[in-house]
Amino acid sequence: MKILGIETSCDETAAAVVEDGAKILSSSIASSLPLHAKAGGIIPEIAAREQVKAIIPIIDLTLANNLQTTDYRQKKKAVGWHLSAIDQLDAIAVTVGPGLIGSLLVGVEAAKTLAYVWKTPIVPVNHLIAHLYSPWLERSRPPDFPLVALIVSGGHTELVLVTGHGGWQPLGGTRDDAAGEALDKIARLLGLGYPGGPAIEKAASLGDKTRFQLPRPLINSPTFDFSFSGLKTAVVNLANLLDRKSQLTEGIVADLSASFQESIIDVLVTKTIKAAKKIKVGSIVLGGGVAANKRLREEMVARFTGKVYFSSPKLAVDNAAMVAAAAFFNYQPVAWDKVNAQAAILL
Ligand code: KG4
Ligand code: ZN
């Protein structure tokens, strides 16, 4: 079964064709990230306007590539709705939320229109569930159920028990900042740029993670909730103090990045493993942009005795292949006029 996935929940405009929820036949992404970098965070109106510009060319390019044309000149000629590619599609999957409403609307309305015109089934997909499915992509043997999923992105930090396709039960989530959001804010404070996660990861690779003892919020709490705003404030105060003493050198910024990253990773890994042990499941799945982090992956693998599944970093951050995969394994088409963007939809 070939599904065209469409993802426009934030600053990425992405489309992909995925076969049987695992094999990526074609994938294209445009990003308005450079337009937000200066502000140190996403500007929703700009993101939505860029989505409008990119959506048709990205879907077009994805379908043209789906013809598996390797010759660039032929590819160029193939731009335009290519009937043989469309004929091969069994369904369209689209992210309906959570996300920025202006961005979501662009993908949702495009998907609905195509589903109507092409008479193709349409499957609405929750963005968090899409992140959960990235480890199913490009893998011959899928992850084993039951499992605990840590979905950790710019907007969410969720622990979910997954008993099978369609069977998920939230265990806990962040009470304030998401882990990615905290990384983004501290990176901006330290002048490391945007997005903050990869910038902190890079700086941290040159730093000493034991240099600063930072709080590990809620690490020992009996719930599976998270809270990163206190940790963020602790780093802000420390950075300001060091700055006043003219001690915020490049080396100290690297140490602070490493200590901060370590604190977040320690909390994420400890609580995810605690959940898996308590519920007695042998598998952990990592999804979402922060799951691209190498230290997080390493630490989870080193500390968990069961299996840990994650995708390649480029499939952990926002993409459309994961949307198509989620739709394949939870195939519930609805009438096109019942599909709506829902900015604050829950799991
Ligand atoms: O899933 P995603 O692409 O978009 C949302 O759904 O939010 O996640 C973006 C988040 C950003 O906060 C970004 O800083 C973070 O993921 N991120 C990372 C890494 N790559 C992206 N955080 C830590 N390490 C990374 N390598
Ligand atoms: Zn995401």
Side-chain angles (χ1 to χ4, degrees), residues 1-4 16-25 137 320-321 324-325:
M1 185 179 209
K2 288 180 186 161
I3 299 185
L4 169 67
V17 178
V18 177
E19 188 167 26
D20 297 339
K23 190 174 176 206
I24 302 175
L25 300 179
L137 291 163

Side-chain angles (χ1 to χ4, degrees), residues 7 9-10 12 98 127-128 131 153-156 288-289 316-319 322:
E7 157 63 46
S9 65
C10 192
E12 266 91 29
H127 183 73
L128 300 175
H131 274 306
S153 69
H156 292 85
V317 295
D318 286 354
N319 66 89
M322 66 185 190

Side-chain angles (χ1 to χ4, degrees), residues 127 131 153-155 180-181 183-184 195-198 201 288-290 292-293 316-318:
H127 183 73
H131 274 306
S153 69
E181 191 181 350
L183 288 163
D184 291 338
E201 182 173 33
V290 181
N293 188 280
V317 295
D318 286 354

Side-chain angles (χ1 to χ4, degrees), residues 93-315:
V94 64
T95 299
V96 291
L100 302 173
I101 189 68
S103 291
L104 286 166
L105 271 172
V106 177
V108 167
E109 294 310 314
K112 283 164 75 171
T113 310
L114 295 177
Y116 172 78
V117 174
W118 294 343
K119 297 185 176 46
T120 307
I122 181 166
V123 183
V125 173
N126 181 307
H127 183 73
L128 300 175
I129 299 300
H131 274 306
L132 165 63
Y133 276 91
S134 55
W136 268 257
L137 291 163
E138 311 273 72
R139 183 193 299 276
S140 51
R141 206 173 164 270
D144 294 324
F145 294 117
L147 55 88
V148 165
L150 172 68
I151 303 167
V152 66
S153 69
H156 292 85
T157 307
E158 309 281 341
L159 264 182
V160 190
L161 168 64
V162 190
T163 50
H165 298 301
W168 36 80
Q169 195 182 313
L171 299 171
T174 183
R175 294 182 184 171
D176 40 58
D177 289 16
E181 191 181 350
L183 288 163
D184 291 338
K185 286 179 180 163
I186 294 302
R188 177 163 59 172
L189 173 84
L190 297 177
L192 296 173
Y194 185 84
I200 295 261
E201 182 173 33
K202 191 168 167 223
S205 68
L206 305 169
D208 171 5
K209 61 181 188 295
T210 63
R211 177 77 166 72
F212 298 103
Q213 291 308 309
L214 296 170
R216 263 82 169 144
L218 299 183
I219 198 163
N220 294 317
S221 94
T223 74
F224 295 119
D225 282 346
F226 300 90
S227 164
F228 292 111
S229 85
L231 168 64
K232 190 187 67 190
T233 308
V235 178
V236 170
N237 291 342
L238 182 57
N240 287 340
L241 180 74
L242 290 163
D243 197 27
R244 277 200 300 277
K245 293 192 200 159
S246 303
Q247 288 175 354
L248 206 54
T249 59
E250 209 174 302
I252 293 291
V253 165
D255 292 347
L256 194 50
S257 299
S259 305
F260 174 56
Q261 177 179 267
E262 207 56 22
S263 175
I264 290 190
I265 289 173
D266 193 14
V267 173
L268 293 174
V269 171
T270 303
K271 300 205 79 156
T272 307
I273 294 177
K274 209 190 256 183
K277 282 193 175 152
K278 187 169 175 203
I279 306 165
K280 297 192 172 56
V281 307
S283 308
I284 286 174
V285 155
L286 303 179
V290 181
N293 188 280
K294 209 166 152 242
R295 271 291 300 144
L296 172 63
R297 293 156 174 238
E298 272 172 13
E299 196 64 10
M300 196 70 86
V301 170
R303 281 166 54 182
F304 187 53
T305 46
K307 291 179 198 143
V308 181
Y309 301 93
F310 42 78
S311 65
S312 63
K314 73 175 194 310
L315 294 172

